[in-house]
């Protein structure tokens, strides 16, 4: 079945030193540096389950840093049962908007995926390679074709 694999570059800087000491730090789930409008359908559906208005932006939770002041990000786990699509990620995004949790956008190098700009060159220089939804055979093929090794 699909798996998620994260490969951390041994030369990556310390994320705790570059991220602000409050809020959350994450990468937009997008091919550009701007929020992906394709996620608006998920945002609208999630907002309809609550008392908040649809919000702007949807971050990917493959790699993200949550500071202590933002623990409310993990509230409302019961809503995940009502969402058939990316329930954990959507709840985190919903709670960020609901509680107005500050979001620091990280460079894609911190959560590089095929769908957000992974190329032969960017895979080799990223801080974290994120393979989501690939079966193990496909993941091995991708890693081998990009000469990725776990440091």
């Amino acid at each position: 079945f699909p798996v998620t694999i994260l490969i951390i570059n041994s030369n990556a800087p310390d994320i705790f030193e570059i991220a602000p000491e409050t809020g959350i730090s994450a990468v937009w789930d997008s091919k550009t540096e701007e929020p992906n409008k394709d996620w608006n359908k998920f945002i609208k559906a999630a907002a309809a389950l609550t008392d908040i208005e649809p919000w702007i932006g949807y971050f990917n939770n493959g790699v993200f840093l949550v500071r202590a002041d933002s623990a409310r990000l993990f509230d409302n786990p019961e809503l995940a049962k009502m969402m058939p699509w990316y329930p954990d990620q959507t709840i985190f995004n919903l709670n960020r908007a609901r509680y107005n949790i500050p979001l620091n956008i990280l460079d894609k190098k911190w959560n590089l995926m095929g769908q957000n700009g992974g190329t032969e060159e960017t895979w080799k220089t990223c801080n974290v390679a994120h393979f989501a939804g690939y079966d193990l055979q496909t993941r091995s093929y991708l890693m081998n074709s990009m000469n990725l090794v776990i440091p």
Side-chain angles (χ1 to χ4, degrees):
F1 68 60
V3 296
T4 297
I5 303 293
L6 298 176
I7 301 172
I8 302 170
N9 184 333
S10 60
N11 295 317
D14 184 340
I15 194 169
F16 292 97
E17 291 180 8
I18 65 163
E21 294 186 12
T22 61
I24 57 178
S25 297
V27 173
W28 286 131
D29 208 326
S30 176
K31 291 182 180 180
T32 69
E33 299 304 320
E34 299 297 321
N36 182 349
K37 292 185 173 134
D38 290 344
W39 288 106
N40 287 348
K41 60 187 171 205
F42 298 120
I43 291 169
K44 287 177 183 173
L49 297 173
T50 66
D51 56 353
I52 69 168
E53 294 294 316
W55 62 93
I56 303 296
Y58 193 93
F59 70 88
N60 184 280
N61 74 346
V63 177
F64 66 111
L65 175 63
V66 180
R67 297 296 190 162
D69 69 319
S70 302
R72 295 195 78 186
L73 190 72
F74 301 102
D75 286 0
N76 311 303
E78 69 283 356
L79 290 179
K81 296 175 187 168
M82 302 168 74
M83 296 180 199
W85 19 258
Y86 308 104
D88 55 342
Q89 184 164 287
T90 301
I91 293 300
F92 294 152
N93 277 276
L94 171 76
N95 286 336
R96 179 191 67 83
R98 175 185 264 178
Y99 302 124
N100 200 28
I101 297 172
L103 176 61
N104 171 53
I105 298 300
L106 296 170
D107 186 282
K108 288 180 193 177
K109 291 201 264 187
W110 285 101
N111 188 11
L112 190 65
M113 301 173 282
Q115 64 265 37
N116 79 349
T119 65
E120 183 175 346
E121 192 55 38
T122 58
W123 287 118
K124 292 176 183 177
T125 59
C126 69
N127 295 327
V128 180
H130 176 181
F131 297 94
Y134 297 108
D135 59 51
L136 290 174
Q137 183 177 4
T138 304
R139 186 226 26 177
S140 295
Y141 167 77
L142 289 169
M143 289 174 62
N144 288 334
S145 69
M146 291 178 275
N147 297 317
L148 287 175
V149 294
I150 299 173

